[in-house]
Amino acid sequence: MTSDTDTTCDAFLGGRLTLRQPRRGYRAGVDPILLAASVDARPGQSVLELGCGVGAALFALATRVPSLDLTGVELQPAYADLARTNAAANKFSAKILTADLTDLPPDIRQRRFDHVIANPPYYRPQTGTSPAATDRAIAHREATPLAEWVATGARRLKPRGTLSVIQRADRLTDLLGAMDTHLGSITMTALHPRPGRAASLVIVKAIKGGRGALTLAPPLFMHRGDTHLSDGDDYTDAIRAVLRDAAALPTGP
């Protein structure tokens, strides 16, 4: 159990959501908020997040879409405890389980969900420099293969349910390859730091039982202009609406 001195309380979505996070270690940023904004959930539907951390994506989605049936699975007990704290503080009814996604509890294995979301570790094993803090290393560096995240998510979906994953753009081939076995009607949205720069992230959504062709959605640009010219954020209007106003991620031009 973490103490208040070990954590900070941070505002998201223009103050609509507050999250207690570790002062040191992995801290939620923009990526889980973008993931949540990509999910076409409707009130009353069920959502499972694999690797929910402190609940940033799960609760950002719940802030935008009311009356969701929320379940989160988190490997690290301290983060799962914080997710439970954050659910209570934000008045969400959510079931947060401390478990490995490769060994889910029986009650989760027996359920099917309308939506599964995930922000898996971005880096393959043995690549780059691992973060010093163990919890950050677990969050950033893959231990469970990306294909297993996808397979687990697909198994937990209802027919026609959707799996939504945010990942580094250079892992796109891994992600699409994993989805090919289990899912279809895939939509890929590239997130570019600025106009003229290569995409750094992708959000990939797929449907269980979908048979449609791969769709490339219009690209989204995080920041205005070719370079950062002044202090303060320079988010595009669409991204600012997502981050500040709890808007859905735009799906068209």
Side-chain angles (χ1 to χ4, degrees), residues 39-88:
V39 181
D40 300 322
R42 299 189 303 274
Q45 290 188 322
S46 55
V47 182
L48 168 66
E49 183 175 10
L50 300 176
C52 69
V54 302
L58 195 65
F59 301 146
L61 177 56
T63 300
R64 177 169 60 86
V65 183
S67 303
L68 293 174
D69 178 353
L70 304 172
T71 302
V73 173
E74 171 54 39
L75 175 65
Q76 301 187 75
Y79 285 80
D81 285 342
L82 286 171
R84 297 181 189 103
T85 297
N86 289 329

Side-chain angles (χ1 to χ4, degrees), residues 55-229:
L58 195 65
F59 301 146
L61 177 56
T63 300
R64 177 169 60 86
V65 183
S67 303
L68 293 174
D69 178 353
L70 304 172
T71 302
V73 173
E74 171 54 39
L75 175 65
Q76 301 187 75
Y79 285 80
D81 285 342
L82 286 171
R84 297 181 189 103
T85 297
N86 289 329
N90 289 279
K91 296 181 171 57
F92 294 131
S93 178
K95 185 173 186 176
I96 306 297
L97 300 169
T98 306
D100 191 320
L101 67 90
T102 64
D103 186 24
L104 293 174
D107 58 335
I108 298 299
R109 295 201 304 269
Q110 294 166 8
R111 285 196 64 185
R112 298 294 183 268
F113 297 83
D114 295 297
H115 304 278
V116 175
I117 63 175
N119 180 11
Y122 285 163
Y123 299 98
R124 297 180 181 91
Q126 316 304 325
T127 59
T129 302
S130 181
T134 301
D135 57 346
R136 287 189 65 208
I138 292 172
H140 284 283
R141 195 162 308 285
E142 182 180 285
T144 300
L146 183 58
E148 186 62 31
W149 286 75
V150 172
T152 298
R155 286 193 294 268
R156 301 279 63 78
L157 284 172
K158 297 177 181 179
R160 306 298 298 176
T162 65
L163 173 66
S164 300
V165 178
I166 189 168
Q167 184 56 256
R168 281 170 53 98
D170 62 8
R171 301 294 308 274
L172 180 59
T173 54
D174 297 337
L175 186 54
L176 293 178
M179 288 182 168
D180 186 59
T181 304
H182 310 281
L183 303 154
S185 301
I186 296 170
T187 300
M188 192 274 286
T189 303
L191 298 170
H192 298 252
R194 297 180 183 277
R197 295 193 186 179
S200 55
L201 295 172
V202 291
I203 296 176
V204 181
K205 299 165 59 178
I207 297 174
K208 186 169 185 175
R211 297 183 180 277
L214 172 69
T215 299
L216 298 178
L220 291 175
F221 301 100
M222 295 291 296
H223 302 278
R224 298 190 302 269
D226 296 335
T227 59
H228 185 67
L229 299 176

